[in-house]
Amino acid sequence: QIHIRHKVISAETGKHFTALLLDDRKRSVLILGSGLDVDTEPYEGNERYRILAKGGKISPDEKVDKIVAGFSHMLLLTNKGKLFAVGDGTNGKLGTCQLERDGTTSRFVAARTPQLVRFPWAQNQIMSLAAGEQHSAVTTTDGHLYVWGQGRKGQLGVGKFCHCYPMPAKIELPSGDDFATFVSCGKDHTLVATASGKVLGFGSTCYGQAGSQSLFYQVCSPEVVRTGHFKDAYHTLVA
Protein backbone atom coordinates (compact mmCIF):
# COMPACT_ATOMS: atom_id res chain seq x y z
CA GLN A 1 0.00 0.00 0.00
CA ILE A 2 1.28 3.46 -0.95
CA HIS A 3 0.83 6.25 1.61
CA ILE A 4 0.85 9.65 -0.09
CA ARG A 5 -0.15 12.77 1.79
CA HIS A 6 -1.52 14.64 -1.21
CA LYS A 7 -4.46 13.88 -3.45
CA VAL A 8 -3.63 12.08 -6.69
CA ILE A 9 -4.99 13.98 -9.71
CA SER A 10 -4.19 11.33 -12.32
CA ALA A 11 -2.20 8.14 -12.83
CA GLU A 12 -0.35 6.92 -15.93
CA THR A 13 1.39 3.62 -16.57
CA GLY A 14 4.37 2.84 -18.80
CA LYS A 15 6.00 -0.50 -19.53
CA HIS A 16 7.77 -0.80 -16.16
CA PHE A 17 6.76 2.38 -14.31
CA THR A 18 3.81 4.31 -12.93
CA ALA A 19 3.53 8.10 -12.73
CA LEU A 20 1.17 9.90 -10.35
CA LEU A 21 0.35 13.60 -10.69
CA LEU A 22 -0.07 15.00 -7.19
CA ASP A 23 -2.23 17.92 -6.09
CA ASP A 24 0.49 19.58 -4.03
CA ARG A 25 1.84 23.11 -4.31
CA LYS A 26 4.39 22.13 -6.98
CA ARG A 27 2.14 19.66 -8.84
CA SER A 28 4.78 16.98 -8.32
CA VAL A 29 5.01 13.86 -10.48
CA LEU A 30 5.65 10.78 -8.34
CA ILE A 31 7.54 7.99 -10.16
CA LEU A 32 7.10 4.35 -9.12
CA GLY A 33 9.06 1.48 -10.68
CA SER A 34 12.28 1.53 -12.67
CA GLY A 35 11.24 1.77 -16.30
CA LEU A 36 11.68 5.53 -16.68
CA ASP A 37 15.34 6.59 -16.66
CA VAL A 38 15.01 10.13 -15.29
CA ASP A 39 16.43 12.28 -12.51
CA THR A 40 14.39 12.15 -9.31
CA GLU A 41 14.48 13.70 -5.87
CA PRO A 42 12.93 12.71 -2.51
CA TYR A 43 9.23 13.41 -2.04
CA GLU A 44 9.01 15.77 0.96
CA GLY A 45 12.27 14.37 2.34
CA ASN A 46 11.10 10.75 2.09
CA GLU A 47 13.72 8.74 0.16
CA ARG A 48 11.24 5.89 -0.30
CA TYR A 49 9.16 7.95 -2.70
CA ARG A 50 10.80 9.76 -5.60
CA ILE A 51 9.42 12.64 -7.65
CA LEU A 52 10.45 13.81 -11.08
CA ALA A 53 13.20 16.45 -10.94
CA LYS A 54 11.80 19.18 -13.19
CA GLY A 55 15.14 20.90 -13.71
CA GLY A 56 15.45 24.40 -15.13
CA LYS A 57 13.25 23.95 -18.20
CA ILE A 58 9.94 24.26 -16.35
CA SER A 59 9.83 27.67 -14.70
CA PRO A 60 9.12 27.89 -10.94
CA ASP A 61 5.74 29.53 -11.53
CA GLU A 62 4.62 26.75 -13.92
CA LYS A 63 2.60 23.76 -12.76
CA VAL A 64 2.00 20.46 -14.52
CA ASP A 65 -1.66 20.13 -15.49
CA LYS A 66 -1.60 16.78 -17.29
CA ILE A 67 0.69 13.83 -17.86
CA VAL A 68 0.63 10.88 -20.27
CA ALA A 69 2.99 7.90 -20.36
CA GLY A 70 4.36 5.84 -23.22
CA PHE A 71 6.39 2.66 -22.77
CA SER A 72 9.54 4.52 -21.68
CA HIS A 73 8.79 8.24 -21.99
CA MET A 74 6.31 10.82 -20.74
CA LEU A 75 4.68 14.04 -21.91
CA LEU A 76 3.81 16.83 -19.47
CA LEU A 77 1.48 19.73 -20.21
CA THR A 78 1.76 22.81 -17.99
CA ASN A 79 -0.76 25.46 -16.97
CA LYS A 80 0.97 27.83 -19.39
CA GLY A 81 0.19 25.56 -22.32
CA LYS A 82 3.78 24.39 -22.80
CA LEU A 83 4.52 20.76 -23.62
CA PHE A 84 7.52 18.96 -22.14
CA ALA A 85 8.91 15.47 -22.75
CA VAL A 86 11.12 13.27 -20.56
CA GLY A 87 12.60 9.78 -20.72
CA ASP A 88 13.94 7.62 -23.55
CA GLY A 89 14.55 9.55 -26.77
CA THR A 90 14.82 6.65 -29.23
CA ASN A 91 13.28 7.31 -32.66
CA GLY A 92 12.66 10.98 -31.84
CA LYS A 93 9.54 10.26 -29.77
CA LEU A 94 10.35 13.13 -27.35
CA GLY A 95 10.05 15.69 -30.15
CA THR A 96 13.02 17.69 -28.88
CA CYS A 97 15.37 16.98 -31.85
CA GLN A 98 18.34 16.53 -29.53
CA LEU A 99 21.08 14.38 -31.09
CA GLU A 100 24.51 13.22 -30.01
CA ARG A 101 27.23 11.80 -32.24
CA ASP A 102 29.03 8.52 -31.57
CA GLY A 103 31.80 8.30 -34.12
CA THR A 104 30.12 8.33 -37.54
CA THR A 105 26.59 7.75 -36.25
CA SER A 106 24.07 9.94 -34.46
CA ARG A 107 21.36 8.98 -32.01
CA PHE A 108 18.57 10.78 -30.21
CA VAL A 109 19.39 11.84 -26.66
CA ALA A 110 17.34 10.72 -23.68
CA ALA A 111 15.97 13.47 -21.44
CA ARG A 112 16.57 12.92 -17.73
CA THR A 113 14.69 16.14 -16.94
CA PRO A 114 11.70 17.59 -18.85
CA GLN A 115 12.65 19.22 -22.15
CA LEU A 116 10.47 21.63 -24.11
CA VAL A 117 8.79 20.25 -27.24
CA ARG A 118 9.08 22.90 -29.94
CA PHE A 119 6.52 23.07 -32.72
CA PRO A 120 7.72 24.13 -36.19
CA TRP A 121 4.98 26.77 -36.36
CA ALA A 122 2.65 28.52 -33.95
CA GLN A 123 -0.14 26.32 -32.68
CA ASN A 124 -3.19 26.91 -30.53
CA GLN A 125 -3.62 25.52 -27.03
CA ILE A 126 -3.17 21.77 -26.68
CA MET A 127 -6.44 19.94 -26.11
CA SER A 128 -5.32 16.31 -25.73
CA LEU A 129 -2.01 14.44 -25.69
CA ALA A 130 -1.00 10.81 -26.03
CA ALA A 131 2.10 8.60 -26.05
CA GLY A 132 2.65 5.19 -27.63
CA GLU A 133 5.65 2.89 -27.51
CA GLN A 134 7.74 4.91 -29.97
CA HIS A 135 5.55 7.87 -30.96
CA SER A 136 3.65 10.82 -29.47
CA ALA A 137 0.70 12.97 -30.54
CA VAL A 138 -1.39 16.00 -29.54
CA THR A 139 -4.52 17.76 -30.74
CA THR A 140 -5.06 21.51 -30.44
CA THR A 141 -8.09 23.73 -29.90
CA ASP A 142 -8.06 24.70 -33.59
CA GLY A 143 -8.64 21.05 -34.53
CA HIS A 144 -5.14 20.19 -35.71
CA LEU A 145 -3.34 16.91 -35.08
CA TYR A 146 0.43 16.78 -34.55
CA VAL A 147 2.50 13.58 -34.33
CA TRP A 148 6.18 12.67 -34.00
CA GLY A 149 8.44 9.69 -33.33
CA GLN A 150 8.67 6.39 -35.18
CA GLY A 151 6.52 5.85 -38.26
CA ARG A 152 7.64 2.48 -39.59
CA LYS A 153 4.18 0.97 -39.19
CA GLY A 154 2.27 4.04 -40.31
CA GLN A 155 1.40 5.17 -36.76
CA LEU A 156 2.23 8.80 -37.59
CA GLY A 157 -0.39 9.04 -40.35
CA VAL A 158 1.90 11.11 -42.59
CA GLY A 159 0.95 9.18 -45.73
CA LYS A 160 4.09 7.08 -45.87
CA PHE A 161 6.02 4.56 -43.81
CA CYS A 162 9.09 6.26 -42.41
CA HIS A 163 11.84 5.71 -39.86
CA CYS A 164 10.92 8.71 -37.72
CA TYR A 165 9.86 12.33 -37.46
CA PRO A 166 11.93 13.93 -34.64
CA MET A 167 9.69 16.99 -34.33
CA PRO A 168 5.90 17.56 -34.45
CA ALA A 169 4.36 17.18 -37.91
CA LYS A 170 0.85 18.44 -38.69
CA ILE A 171 -1.32 15.70 -40.19
CA GLU A 172 -3.82 16.20 -42.97
CA LEU A 173 -7.16 14.65 -42.04
CA PRO A 174 -9.90 13.60 -44.49
CA SER A 175 -12.25 16.32 -45.74
CA GLY A 176 -15.34 16.53 -43.54
CA ASP A 177 -13.54 14.86 -40.65
CA ASP A 178 -10.69 17.35 -40.42
CA PHE A 179 -11.30 18.82 -36.94
CA ALA A 180 -9.52 16.62 -34.38
CA THR A 181 -10.84 16.74 -30.81
CA PHE A 182 -8.98 13.87 -29.11
CA VAL A 183 -6.04 11.54 -29.81
CA SER A 184 -4.97 8.22 -28.30
CA CYS A 185 -1.88 6.11 -29.04
CA GLY A 186 -1.47 2.35 -28.78
CA LYS A 187 1.79 0.45 -29.13
CA ASP A 188 2.10 1.23 -32.82
CA HIS A 189 -1.27 2.62 -33.90
CA THR A 190 -3.14 5.89 -33.37
CA LEU A 191 -6.81 6.85 -33.06
CA VAL A 192 -8.27 10.32 -33.50
CA ALA A 193 -11.77 11.48 -32.59
CA THR A 194 -13.21 14.26 -34.76
CA ALA A 195 -15.87 16.94 -34.32
CA SER A 196 -18.02 15.10 -36.87
CA GLY A 197 -18.40 12.24 -34.38
CA LYS A 198 -16.19 9.84 -36.31
CA VAL A 199 -12.98 8.10 -35.27
CA LEU A 200 -9.94 7.88 -37.55
CA GLY A 201 -7.29 5.19 -37.23
CA PHE A 202 -3.85 4.50 -38.70
CA GLY A 203 -0.78 2.42 -38.00
CA SER A 204 -0.50 -1.31 -37.42
CA THR A 205 -3.75 -3.10 -38.13
CA CYS A 206 -2.54 -6.71 -38.11
CA TYR A 207 -5.05 -7.47 -35.34
CA GLY A 208 -7.63 -4.96 -36.54
CA GLN A 209 -6.65 -2.53 -33.76
CA ALA A 210 -6.59 0.54 -36.06
CA GLY A 211 -10.12 -0.20 -37.23
CA SER A 212 -9.16 -0.24 -40.90
CA GLN A 213 -10.92 -2.20 -43.63
CA SER A 214 -7.63 -2.45 -45.53
CA LEU A 215 -6.33 -5.85 -46.58
CA PHE A 216 -2.84 -4.66 -45.62
CA TYR A 217 -1.38 -5.07 -42.13
CA GLN A 218 -0.37 -1.41 -41.85
CA VAL A 219 -2.08 1.86 -42.80
CA CYS A 220 -0.08 5.10 -43.10
CA SER A 221 -2.94 7.59 -43.63
CA PRO A 222 -5.99 8.32 -41.45
CA GLU A 223 -8.99 6.13 -42.26
CA VAL A 224 -12.47 6.13 -40.74
CA VAL A 225 -12.97 3.38 -38.15
CA ARG A 226 -15.96 1.27 -39.11
CA THR A 227 -18.45 -0.08 -36.59
CA GLY A 228 -17.45 -3.49 -35.34
CA HIS A 229 -13.76 -2.81 -35.02
CA PHE A 230 -13.49 -2.34 -31.38
CA LYS A 231 -7.05 0.25 -27.41
CA ASP A 232 -4.23 -1.13 -25.68
CA ALA A 233 -1.24 -2.70 -27.41
CA TYR A 234 -3.28 -4.80 -29.83
CA HIS A 235 -6.91 -3.80 -29.58
CA THR A 236 -9.13 -0.73 -29.52
CA LEU A 237 -12.30 0.23 -27.66
CA VAL A 238 -14.53 3.07 -28.85
CA ALA A 239 -17.35 4.42 -26.66
PDB file of all heavy atoms in Angstrom, residues 131-156:
ATOM      1  N   ALA A 131       0.776   9.170 -25.812  1.00  0.00           N
ATOM      2  CA  ALA A 131       2.097   8.604 -26.048  1.00  0.00           C
ATOM      3  C   ALA A 131       1.967   7.106 -26.280  1.00  0.00           C
ATOM      4  O   ALA A 131       1.296   6.407 -25.521  1.00  0.00           O
ATOM      5  CB  ALA A 131       3.023   8.878 -24.853  1.00  0.00           C
ATOM      6  N   GLY A 132       2.611   6.610 -27.349  1.00  0.00           N
ATOM      7  CA  GLY A 132       2.651   5.188 -27.633  1.00  0.00           C
ATOM      8  C   GLY A 132       3.994   4.608 -27.239  1.00  0.00           C
ATOM      9  O   GLY A 132       4.715   5.186 -26.427  1.00  0.00           O
ATOM     10  N   GLU A 133       4.354   3.485 -27.833  1.00  0.00           N
ATOM     11  CA  GLU A 133       5.654   2.891 -27.514  1.00  0.00           C
ATOM     12  C   GLU A 133       6.792   3.735 -28.066  1.00  0.00           C
ATOM     13  O   GLU A 133       7.766   4.014 -27.370  1.00  0.00           O
ATOM     14  CB  GLU A 133       5.754   1.478 -28.074  1.00  0.00           C
ATOM     15  CG  GLU A 133       7.100   0.834 -27.766  1.00  0.00           C
ATOM     16  CD  GLU A 133       7.220  -0.588 -28.269  1.00  0.00           C
ATOM     17  OE1 GLU A 133       6.306  -1.061 -28.956  1.00  0.00           O
ATOM     18  OE2 GLU A 133       8.245  -1.232 -27.974  1.00  0.00           O
ATOM     19  N   GLN A 134       6.667   4.168 -29.329  1.00  0.00           N
ATOM     20  CA  GLN A 134       7.738   4.911 -29.970  1.00  0.00           C
ATOM     21  C   GLN A 134       7.226   6.159 -30.676  1.00  0.00           C
ATOM     22  O   GLN A 134       7.905   6.686 -31.555  1.00  0.00           O
ATOM     23  CB  GLN A 134       8.468   4.019 -30.981  1.00  0.00           C
ATOM     24  CG  GLN A 134       9.184   2.822 -30.388  1.00  0.00           C
ATOM     25  CD  GLN A 134      10.381   3.206 -29.539  1.00  0.00           C
ATOM     26  OE1 GLN A 134      10.981   4.270 -29.718  1.00  0.00           O
ATOM     27  NE2 GLN A 134      10.741   2.351 -28.601  1.00  0.00           N
ATOM     28  N   HIS A 135       6.049   6.649 -30.321  1.00  0.00           N
ATOM     29  CA  HIS A 135       5.550   7.869 -30.955  1.00  0.00           C
ATOM     30  C   HIS A 135       4.677   8.649 -29.971  1.00  0.00           C
ATOM     31  O   HIS A 135       4.260   8.134 -28.932  1.00  0.00           O
ATOM     32  CB  HIS A 135       4.796   7.569 -32.249  1.00  0.00           C
ATOM     33  CG  HIS A 135       3.454   6.920 -32.084  1.00  0.00           C
ATOM     34  ND1 HIS A 135       3.282   5.670 -31.518  1.00  0.00           N
ATOM     35  CD2 HIS A 135       2.205   7.333 -32.442  1.00  0.00           C
ATOM     36  CE1 HIS A 135       1.996   5.342 -31.530  1.00  0.00           C
ATOM     37  NE2 HIS A 135       1.327   6.347 -32.077  1.00  0.00           N
ATOM     38  N   SER A 136       4.438   9.918 -30.317  1.00  0.00           N
ATOM     39  CA  SER A 136       3.652  10.817 -29.473  1.00  0.00           C
ATOM     40  C   SER A 136       2.723  11.632 -30.353  1.00  0.00           C
ATOM     41  O   SER A 136       2.961  11.788 -31.557  1.00  0.00           O
ATOM     42  CB  SER A 136       4.571  11.765 -28.682  1.00  0.00           C
ATOM     43  OG  SER A 136       5.528  11.047 -27.924  1.00  0.00           O
ATOM     44  N   ALA A 137       1.666  12.193 -29.754  1.00  0.00           N
ATOM     45  CA  ALA A 137       0.696  12.969 -30.538  1.00  0.00           C
ATOM     46  C   ALA A 137      -0.066  13.936 -29.641  1.00  0.00           C
ATOM     47  O   ALA A 137      -0.236  13.693 -28.449  1.00  0.00           O
ATOM     48  CB  ALA A 137      -0.286  12.031 -31.248  1.00  0.00           C
ATOM     49  N   VAL A 138      -0.525  15.042 -30.246  1.00  0.00           N
ATOM     50  CA  VAL A 138      -1.390  15.998 -29.542  1.00  0.00           C
ATOM     51  C   VAL A 138      -2.437  16.528 -30.516  1.00  0.00           C
ATOM     52  O   VAL A 138      -2.237  16.511 -31.733  1.00  0.00           O
ATOM     53  CB  VAL A 138      -0.602  17.206 -28.951  1.00  0.00           C
ATOM     54  CG1 VAL A 138       0.436  16.758 -27.950  1.00  0.00           C
ATOM     55  CG2 VAL A 138       0.026  18.043 -30.054  1.00  0.00           C
ATOM     56  N   THR A 139      -3.552  16.978 -29.966  1.00  0.00           N
ATOM     57  CA  THR A 139      -4.518  17.760 -30.736  1.00  0.00           C
ATOM     58  C   THR A 139      -4.595  19.142 -30.114  1.00  0.00           C
ATOM     59  O   THR A 139      -4.289  19.326 -28.936  1.00  0.00           O
ATOM     60  CB  THR A 139      -5.919  17.125 -30.739  1.00  0.00           C
ATOM     61  OG1 THR A 139      -6.425  17.076 -29.381  1.00  0.00           O
ATOM     62  CG2 THR A 139      -5.888  15.720 -31.324  1.00  0.00           C
ATOM     63  N   THR A 140      -4.988  20.134 -30.916  1.00  0.00           N
ATOM     64  CA  THR A 140      -5.060  21.507 -30.440  1.00  0.00           C
ATOM     65  C   THR A 140      -6.485  22.046 -30.568  1.00  0.00           C
ATOM     66  O   THR A 140      -7.324  21.451 -31.252  1.00  0.00           O
ATOM     67  CB  THR A 140      -4.092  22.409 -31.224  1.00  0.00           C
ATOM     68  OG1 THR A 140      -4.409  22.337 -32.627  1.00  0.00           O
ATOM     69  CG2 THR A 140      -2.653  21.959 -31.020  1.00  0.00           C
ATOM     70  N   THR A 141      -6.736  23.174 -29.926  1.00  0.00           N
ATOM     71  CA  THR A 141      -8.088  23.730 -29.903  1.00  0.00           C
ATOM     72  C   THR A 141      -8.566  24.189 -31.270  1.00  0.00           C
ATOM     73  O   THR A 141      -9.771  24.401 -31.461  1.00  0.00           O
ATOM     74  CB  THR A 141      -8.160  24.913 -28.917  1.00  0.00           C
ATOM     75  OG1 THR A 141      -7.105  25.849 -29.219  1.00  0.00           O
ATOM     76  CG2 THR A 141      -8.012  24.436 -27.486  1.00  0.00           C
ATOM     77  N   ASP A 142      -7.646  24.344 -32.230  1.00  0.00           N
ATOM     78  CA  ASP A 142      -8.061  24.701 -33.588  1.00  0.00           C
ATOM     79  C   ASP A 142      -8.266  23.465 -34.455  1.00  0.00           C
ATOM     80  O   ASP A 142      -8.390  23.562 -35.675  1.00  0.00           O
ATOM     81  CB  ASP A 142      -7.070  25.663 -34.243  1.00  0.00           C
ATOM     82  CG  ASP A 142      -5.647  25.146 -34.221  1.00  0.00           C
ATOM     83  OD1 ASP A 142      -5.406  24.061 -33.652  1.00  0.00           O
ATOM     84  OD2 ASP A 142      -4.762  25.824 -34.778  1.00  0.00           O
ATOM     85  N   GLY A 143      -8.304  22.276 -33.822  1.00  0.00           N
ATOM     86  CA  GLY A 143      -8.635  21.047 -34.528  1.00  0.00           C
ATOM     87  C   GLY A 143      -7.500  20.363 -35.242  1.00  0.00           C
ATOM     88  O   GLY A 143      -7.728  19.409 -35.986  1.00  0.00           O
ATOM     89  N   HIS A 144      -6.271  20.802 -35.029  1.00  0.00           N
ATOM     90  CA  HIS A 144      -5.139  20.192 -35.712  1.00  0.00           C
ATOM     91  C   HIS A 144      -4.577  19.010 -34.928  1.00  0.00           C
ATOM     92  O   HIS A 144      -4.668  18.960 -33.695  1.00  0.00           O
ATOM     93  CB  HIS A 144      -4.038  21.223 -35.956  1.00  0.00           C
ATOM     94  CG  HIS A 144      -4.406  22.263 -36.964  1.00  0.00           C
ATOM     95  ND1 HIS A 144      -3.929  23.553 -36.915  1.00  0.00           N
ATOM     96  CD2 HIS A 144      -5.234  22.210 -38.046  1.00  0.00           C
ATOM     97  CE1 HIS A 144      -4.437  24.249 -37.923  1.00  0.00           C
ATOM     98  NE2 HIS A 144      -5.225  23.454 -38.613  1.00  0.00           N
ATOM     99  N   LEU A 145      -3.994  18.081 -35.661  1.00  0.00           N
ATOM    100  CA  LEU A 145      -3.340  16.909 -35.081  1.00  0.00           C
ATOM    101  C   LEU A 145      -1.852  16.974 -35.399  1.00  0.00           C
ATOM    102  O   LEU A 145      -1.467  17.175 -36.552  1.00  0.00           O
ATOM    103  CB  LEU A 145      -3.944  15.629 -35.662  1.00  0.00           C
ATOM    104  CG  LEU A 145      -3.200  14.318 -35.367  1.00  0.00           C
ATOM    105  CD1 LEU A 145      -3.288  13.973 -33.884  1.00  0.00           C
ATOM    106  CD2 LEU A 145      -3.752  13.186 -36.219  1.00  0.00           C
ATOM    107  N   TYR A 146      -1.019  16.804 -34.380  1.00  0.00           N
ATOM    108  CA  TYR A 146       0.431  16.776 -34.548  1.00  0.00           C
ATOM    109  C   TYR A 146       0.964  15.440 -34.023  1.00  0.00           C
ATOM    110  O   TYR A 146       0.530  14.966 -32.964  1.00  0.00           O
ATOM    111  CB  TYR A 146       1.103  17.912 -33.759  1.00  0.00           C
ATOM    112  CG  TYR A 146       0.713  19.309 -34.208  1.00  0.00           C
ATOM    113  CD1 TYR A 146      -0.431  19.923 -33.706  1.00  0.00           C
ATOM    114  CD2 TYR A 146       1.505  20.012 -35.108  1.00  0.00           C
ATOM    115  CE1 TYR A 146      -0.789  21.211 -34.113  1.00  0.00           C
ATOM    116  CE2 TYR A 146       1.159  21.298 -35.512  1.00  0.00           C
ATOM    117  CZ  TYR A 146       0.013  21.886 -35.010  1.00  0.00           C
ATOM    118  OH  TYR A 146      -0.343  23.156 -35.416  1.00  0.00           O
ATOM    119  N   VAL A 147       1.897  14.842 -34.751  1.00  0.00           N
ATOM    120  CA  VAL A 147       2.500  13.582 -34.329  1.00  0.00           C
ATOM    121  C   VAL A 147       4.007  13.643 -34.532  1.00  0.00           C
ATOM    122  O   VAL A 147       4.511  14.431 -35.331  1.00  0.00           O
ATOM    123  CB  VAL A 147       1.925  12.383 -35.124  1.00  0.00           C
ATOM    124  CG1 VAL A 147       0.433  12.234 -34.894  1.00  0.00           C
ATOM    125  CG2 VAL A 147       2.225  12.535 -36.614  1.00  0.00           C
ATOM    126  N   TRP A 148       4.741  12.779 -33.819  1.00  0.00           N
ATOM    127  CA  TRP A 148       6.180  12.670 -34.003  1.00  0.00           C
ATOM    128  C   TRP A 148       6.657  11.348 -33.407  1.00  0.00           C
ATOM    129  O   TRP A 148       5.948  10.689 -32.667  1.00  0.00           O
ATOM    130  CB  TRP A 148       6.926  13.850 -33.365  1.00  0.00           C
ATOM    131  CG  TRP A 148       6.714  14.040 -31.889  1.00  0.00           C
ATOM    132  CD1 TRP A 148       7.515  13.587 -30.874  1.00  0.00           C
ATOM    133  CD2 TRP A 148       5.635  14.756 -31.251  1.00  0.00           C
ATOM    134  NE1 TRP A 148       7.011  13.974 -29.654  1.00  0.00           N
ATOM    135  CE2 TRP A 148       5.861  14.694 -29.858  1.00  0.00           C
ATOM    136  CE3 TRP A 148       4.514  15.439 -31.726  1.00  0.00           C
ATOM    137  CZ2 TRP A 148       5.003  15.286 -28.935  1.00  0.00           C
ATOM    138  CZ3 TRP A 148       3.654  16.027 -30.804  1.00  0.00           C
ATOM    139  CH2 TRP A 148       3.900  15.948 -29.426  1.00  0.00           C
ATOM    140  N   GLY A 149       7.886  10.962 -33.787  1.00  0.00           N
ATOM    141  CA  GLY A 149       8.439   9.695 -33.331  1.00  0.00           C
ATOM    142  C   GLY A 149       8.565   8.710 -34.482  1.00  0.00           C
ATOM    143  O   GLY A 149       8.723   9.095 -35.641  1.00  0.00           O
ATOM    144  N   GLN A 150       8.498   7.427 -34.169  1.00  0.00           N
ATOM    145  CA  GLN A 150       8.666   6.386 -35.179  1.00  0.00           C
ATOM    146  C   GLN A 150       7.422   6.230 -36.045  1.00  0.00           C
ATOM    147  O   GLN A 150       6.297   6.295 -35.549  1.00  0.00           O
ATOM    148  CB  GLN A 150       8.983   5.047 -34.516  1.00  0.00           C
ATOM    149  CG  GLN A 150       9.363   3.952 -35.504  1.00  0.00           C
ATOM    150  CD  GLN A 150       9.561   2.618 -34.826  1.00  0.00           C
ATOM    151  OE1 GLN A 150       8.617   1.873 -34.621  1.00  0.00           O
ATOM    152  NE2 GLN A 150      10.803   2.320 -34.461  1.00  0.00           N
ATOM    153  N   GLY A 151       7.649   6.008 -37.343  1.00  0.00           N
ATOM    154  CA  GLY A 151       6.522   5.852 -38.258  1.00  0.00           C
ATOM    155  C   GLY A 151       6.624   4.636 -39.146  1.00  0.00           C
ATOM    156  O   GLY A 151       5.984   4.579 -40.192  1.00  0.00           O
ATOM    157  N   ARG A 152       7.396   3.649 -38.743  1.00  0.00           N
ATOM    158  CA  ARG A 152       7.639   2.475 -39.589  1.00  0.00           C
ATOM    159  C   ARG A 152       6.364   1.689 -39.877  1.00  0.00           C
ATOM    160  O   ARG A 152       6.255   1.043 -40.913  1.00  0.00           O
ATOM    161  CB  ARG A 152       8.673   1.559 -38.930  1.00  0.00           C
ATOM    162  CG  ARG A 152      10.089   2.117 -38.938  1.00  0.00           C
ATOM    163  CD  ARG A 152      11.049   1.173 -38.257  1.00  0.00           C
ATOM    164  NE  ARG A 152      12.418   1.684 -38.316  1.00  0.00           N
ATOM    165  CZ  ARG A 152      13.437   1.109 -37.696  1.00  0.00           C
ATOM    166  NH1 ARG A 152      13.243   0.018 -36.969  1.00  0.00           N
ATOM    167  NH2 ARG A 152      14.650   1.620 -37.791  1.00  0.00           N
ATOM    168  N   LYS A 153       5.415   1.719 -38.979  1.00  0.00           N
ATOM    169  CA  LYS A 153       4.184   0.966 -39.187  1.00  0.00           C
ATOM    170  C   LYS A 153       3.003   1.871 -39.543  1.00  0.00           C
ATOM    171  O   LYS A 153       1.858   1.446 -39.481  1.00  0.00           O
ATOM    172  CB  LYS A 153       3.868   0.129 -37.951  1.00  0.00           C
ATOM    173  CG  LYS A 153       4.913  -0.943 -37.686  1.00  0.00           C
ATOM    174  CD  LYS A 153       4.518  -1.870 -36.556  1.00  0.00           C
ATOM    175  CE  LYS A 153       5.564  -2.966 -36.368  1.00  0.00           C
ATOM    176  NZ  LYS A 153       5.198  -3.903 -35.285  1.00  0.00           N
ATOM    177  N   GLY A 154       3.319   3.118 -39.894  1.00  0.00           N
ATOM    178  CA  GLY A 154       2.271   4.041 -40.306  1.00  0.00           C
ATOM    179  C   GLY A 154       1.592   4.767 -39.169  1.00  0.00           C
ATOM    180  O   GLY A 154       0.634   5.515 -39.392  1.00  0.00           O
ATOM    181  N   GLN A 155       2.076   4.598 -37.927  1.00  0.00           N
ATOM    182  CA  GLN A 155       1.399   5.166 -36.756  1.00  0.00           C
ATOM    183  C   GLN A 155       1.439   6.687 -36.669  1.00  0.00           C
ATOM    184  O   GLN A 155       0.755   7.277 -35.836  1.00  0.00           O
ATOM    185  CB  GLN A 155       1.959   4.560 -35.468  1.00  0.00           C
ATOM    186  CG  GLN A 155       3.445   4.823 -35.202  1.00  0.00           C
ATOM    187  CD  GLN A 155       4.341   3.715 -35.679  1.00  0.00           C
ATOM    188  OE1 GLN A 155       4.258   3.315 -36.820  1.00  0.00           O
ATOM    189  NE2 GLN A 155       5.212   3.225 -34.795  1.00  0.00           N
ATOM    190  N   LEU A 156       2.211   7.336 -37.566  1.00  0.00           N
ATOM    191  CA  LEU A 156       2.227   8.802 -37.594  1.00  0.00           C
ATOM    192  C   LEU A 156       1.153   9.371 -38.514  1.00  0.00           C
ATOM    193  O   LEU A 156       0.801  10.544 -38.399  1.00  0.00           O
ATOM    194  CB  LEU A 156       3.602   9.321 -38.024  1.00  0.00           C
ATOM    195  CG  LEU A 156       4.793   8.937 -37.143  1.00  0.00           C
ATOM    196  CD1 LEU A 156       6.067   9.612 -37.657  1.00  0.00           C
ATOM    197  CD2 LEU A 156       4.549   9.289 -35.683  1.00  0.00           C
TER     198      LEU A 156
END
